[in-house]
Amino acid sequence: MLAKLLIKNSKFIYSLEIEPNSAKTFYLKIQSGGDYRPAFNLWKIDSFIQKTQVEFILLGFFYGLAVVMVLYNLFLFFSLRMKSYLYYVLVITCSVMANLQNNGLAFQYLWPNYPIWNAIANPFFVSLACIFILLFTMSFLETNRYLPRFKSIAMILMVLNGLVIVSLFLSKMVALNIMLLSTFSTFTTVLT
């Protein structure tokens, strides 16, 4: 017996017909590019609907706040003409895009017909966000003036993050391994 896709959702949802006090065996085969580990949950329909309603409210607050931050900082950029505000907008935008891909909403609403892009979108946006974080840090803290050595470190990290983006189109597993190093190094350097 095949289970049928129940509803359009950011997750794969199937209706399984199981009679009370009975047992059935279902087989599922998943093919992935290496970093996808799906969660398997059994829900009663009413419990699942309640859970997704709360989840959508929380995601709405999160993404709504992100949009407000983008618009406010764009306003500051156009008013004050300071590059750091533009870099900050790009950091937020890339982070939001990575989160949208991570929770499945990007594939559901933005690029539903592009599964290959969906498979590499998260590391692409995370690496791009890291590059913009470095540019924001250099601009906002005026590191060229107060910490000139930071520029060479930042350039190395930007190249490393750029290497992730380029290698995504060659080997996703290599890109993910480089991304672990580049992301950790970027955040450690910026926080330090």
Side-chain angles (χ1 to χ4, degrees):
M1 177 178 118
L2 295 174
K4 56 185 175 179
L5 193 58
L6 185 61
I7 57 173
K8 184 178 179 183
N9 193 283
S10 63
K11 295 159 183 60
F12 296 104
I13 302 170
Y14 292 92
S15 174
L16 303 176
E17 304 291 330
I18 304 172
E19 298 295 324
N21 300 319
S22 67
K24 285 192 177 182
T25 302
F26 294 94
Y27 295 95
L28 179 66
K29 180 180 178 182
I30 297 175
Q31 186 174 349
S32 170
D35 65 331
Y36 183 67
R37 289 173 183 79
F40 296 101
N41 297 305
L42 293 175
W43 292 86
K44 290 184 179 180
I45 291 175
D46 55 342
S47 299
F48 177 76
I49 291 171
Q50 184 178 13
K51 176 217 175 256
T52 55
Q53 293 301 315
V54 171
E55 190 176 88
F56 273 121
I57 289 170
L58 295 174
L59 287 173
F61 282 130
F62 173 77
Y63 291 120
L65 183 60
V67 167
V68 168
M69 288 177 63
V70 164
L71 293 175
Y72 175 71
N73 283 286
L74 268 176
F75 171 76
L76 289 175
F77 168 70
F78 288 121
S79 299
L80 304 174
R81 300 281 184 211
M82 292 177 64
K83 285 184 190 177
S84 57
Y85 288 107
L86 180 61
Y87 294 140
Y88 188 60
V89 164
L90 293 170
V91 168
I92 295 169
T93 302
C94 288
S95 299
V96 164
M97 294 303 290
N99 277 307
L100 282 169
Q101 189 281 335
N102 206 30
N103 60 31
L105 293 174
F107 189 63
Q108 183 180 1
Y109 294 111
L110 300 179
W111 50 75
N113 299 320
Y114 300 99
I116 294 172
W117 167 248
N118 191 61
I120 63 171
N122 192 283
F124 176 85
F125 285 115
V126 168
S127 296
L128 209 53
C130 287
I131 292 170
F132 290 129
I133 286 169
L134 290 162
L135 291 169
F136 167 76
T137 302
M138 290 170 54
S139 178
F140 186 73
L141 298 178
E142 298 180 28
T143 57
N144 288 341
R145 182 175 172 190
Y146 297 110
L147 188 62
R149 284 186 182 171
F150 185 78
K151 185 174 184 174
S152 59
I153 295 169
M155 290 300 168
I156 291 168
L157 291 171
M158 281 189 247
V159 167
L160 192 59
N161 282 291
L163 185 61
V164 171
I165 293 170
V166 170
S167 62
L168 276 170
F169 300 100
L170 303 172
S171 170
K172 185 178 173 191
M173 290 309 294
V174 169
L176 290 173
N177 288 320
I178 298 170
M179 188 183 86
L180 289 173
L181 172 68
S182 66
T183 305
F184 178 77
S185 301
T186 299
F187 282 100
T188 302
T189 302
V190 168
L191 289 174
T192 301

